[in-house]
Amino acid sequence: MPDQPGPIILEGVYFDGRSSRDQPATLTVDAQTASLRMAASAGLGLPGTLPFEQSWPARTLGVEAPIPGVRRAITFPGAGRFETRDDAGVSAWERATGRNRALSGVRALESRWWAALAALGVSLAALALFVVYGIPAVARQAALATPRSVLATFDRETIGVLENGDYFGPSKLSAARQQQLKAEFRKVAAWAGGGYPYRLLLRDGEAGGANELGANAFALPGGTVVMTDQLVALAKSDRELMGVLAHETGHVTNRHGLAGVYQALGLTLATTVITGDLISAGTFAAAVPAALLSGGYSRAAETQADEASGRYMLRTYGTTRPLQTMLARLEKDDAKDSETSTKKSGPSIVDLLSTHPGTPDRIAHLKRIEAEGKPVPKR
């Protein structure tokens, strides 16, 4: 039960609610009543003004929440308002009458440095958790909700940027070889499913530009998969290449690339494209290559894409060994390039493969998939 102390006398000013003029006043409060008194010199008590003294039941008065540096305010029935700097007196009255108990608890915590420090720590921890787990989770959901029409825009704009940015040139493979690889890829795409308009673009990754890709393959959100002549040359069999391409379709069906772009560029972009704003999406798509260059995929995304490729290879070839071999060769080739090349100073799209987390772990994972003989899910 609230305490029942004697009357509390508060000195302050009164506003009648009709003008901004304040009047020196005294408010006496206890658990039952509140009495407002103003000096005669205040000019009140004249005809048409408030009486010199007036009382109200205490329960009819309101007490506004305290704000640091601001006078405490007590409101009366109608438009009257009393303001005082006697925060201690108002707080004592609140405690005595049981008012604003929750706010009083908050103020008590705010007045203790350790509580403020603990609150700051909790806030920083919550922010860190949101950045580490919350934003990626929101980005994944936003990627899944993005309309297919927007994905096509991303692909078109991104390919335009790459073609104009010295990343690659026209493929030097023969027309027959290109048709052969595209025919094999159509089998992979048919297995991957998901209703994406898959297409394989073959490009020269060493066309002499400043941002050349070298041996590489990567997928864009809408189902466009790019593979360079140099990756084709590096492979010892088409099975190895199809293992890589099946891996890339895993990124498409799980929308890893789009989630990575959202995570890198922020949720503003996600909001734009989810609402189907194709014009803005086209503008943002110009930034997609940069996001891909600096991002790569997470370990979880790579594992998921490897599982997709592993299932395809087990179903088609009965083994995941071709992709294991290709991954090992890519890592060896990349290590050799790193030792001999001095012309690249910034990130490049080759990082999409070179930054794949833990090649030995990925190879071990593919071996486990094969050893366990994971059943092929119905698609």
Side-chain angles (χ1 to χ4, degrees), residues 52 74 76 114 141 308 318 362:
F52 184 78
I74 297 173
F76 301 97
W114 56 266
Q141 294 304 315
R362 294 181 60 200

Side-chain angles (χ1 to χ4, degrees), residues 11 33 54-55 65 77-78 96 121 212 214 233 258 304 307 337 365 372-373:
E11 299 293 340
T33 60
Q54 186 170 353
S55 297
E212 59 186 21
L258 193 59
Q304 198 171 20
E307 287 178 349
D337 287 346
H365 182 217
E372 295 169 359

Side-chain angles (χ1 to χ4, degrees), residues 71-90:
R71 293 182 299 201
R72 297 298 305 270
I74 297 173
T75 58
F76 301 97
R81 179 185 182 90
F82 176 80
E83 293 184 358
T84 179
R85 295 193 179 281
D86 188 355
D87 177 56
V90 176

Side-chain angles (χ1 to χ4, degrees), residues 53-339:
E53 181 174 357
Q54 186 170 353
S55 297
W56 297 268
R59 67 177 185 281
T60 63
L61 273 61
V63 182
E64 295 185 356
I67 300 175
V70 178
R71 293 182 299 201
R72 297 298 305 270
I74 297 173
T75 58
F76 301 97
R81 179 185 182 90
F82 176 80
E83 293 184 358
T84 179
R85 295 193 179 281
D86 188 355
D87 177 56
V90 176
S91 297
W93 186 48
E94 288 179 312
R95 289 192 297 274
T97 56
R99 294 170 177 268
N100 298 333
R101 288 180 175 175
L103 290 175
S104 297
V106 172
R107 292 194 70 196
L109 289 175
E110 288 178 342
S111 64
R112 293 170 171 80
W113 66 267
W114 56 266
L117 191 61
L120 177 61
V122 171
S123 299
L124 291 176
L127 178 62
L129 289 174
F130 178 71
V131 170
V132 175
Y133 299 106
I135 291 179
V138 173
R140 285 194 296 272
Q141 294 304 315
L144 294 174
T146 301
R148 296 291 177 90
S149 57
V150 175
L151 300 183
T153 303
F154 269 125
D155 282 20
R156 183 176 61 254
E157 297 294 331
T158 301
I159 289 297
V161 170
L162 294 173
E163 288 181 337
N164 295 323
D166 295 330
Y167 289 96
F168 47 57
S171 174
K172 296 178 181 176
L173 298 176
S174 68
R177 179 59 171 150
Q178 292 189 42
Q179 290 304 317
Q180 182 184 22
L181 291 170
K182 290 180 179 179
E184 289 295 318
F185 176 68
R186 282 195 289 273
K187 298 176 185 176
V188 177
W191 176 86
Y196 292 89
Y198 289 104
R199 61 170 179 161
L200 175 63
L201 299 182
L202 294 160
R203 294 291 185 268
D204 180 8
E206 294 181 355
N211 302 308
E212 59 186 21
L213 305 178
N216 210 332
F218 59 91
L220 298 179
T224 300
V225 179
V226 178
M227 183 164 66
T228 66
D229 296 353
Q230 289 66 39
L231 187 66
V232 176
L234 186 66
K236 301 300 182 184
S237 73
D238 284 359
R239 289 187 175 192
E240 294 179 353
L241 294 175
M242 293 308 114
V244 172
L245 295 180
H247 172 93
E248 296 304 330
T249 62
H251 285 314
V252 173
T253 54
N254 291 289
R255 301 202 174 187
H256 293 152
L258 193 59
V261 170
Y262 287 163
Q263 189 173 337
L265 300 183
L267 298 180
T268 301
L269 170 60
T271 303
T272 299
V273 296
I274 288 174
T275 57
D277 185 349
L278 297 181
I279 296 177
S280 296
T283 302
F284 278 118
V288 171
L292 291 173
L293 291 172
S294 60
Y297 293 114
S298 68
R299 181 177 295 276
E302 291 301 346
T303 299
Q304 198 171 20
D306 280 344
E307 287 178 349
S309 180
R311 290 195 300 268
Y312 174 78
M313 301 195 76
L314 278 179
R315 175 182 180 274
T316 306
Y317 308 126
T319 178
T320 63
R321 187 176 299 277
L323 183 55
Q324 298 175 34
T325 306
M326 191 64 183
L327 288 174
R329 193 176 301 121
L330 274 167
E331 185 173 67
K332 183 178 179 180
D333 183 69
D334 185 57
K336 184 171 62 178
D337 287 346
S338 298
E339 292 174 357

Side-chain angles (χ1 to χ4, degrees), residues 2-18:
D3 299 333
Q4 298 292 328
I8 298 173
I9 300 174
L10 304 172
E11 299 293 340
V13 294
Y14 174 77
F15 297 87
D16 61 9
R18 294 189 295 271

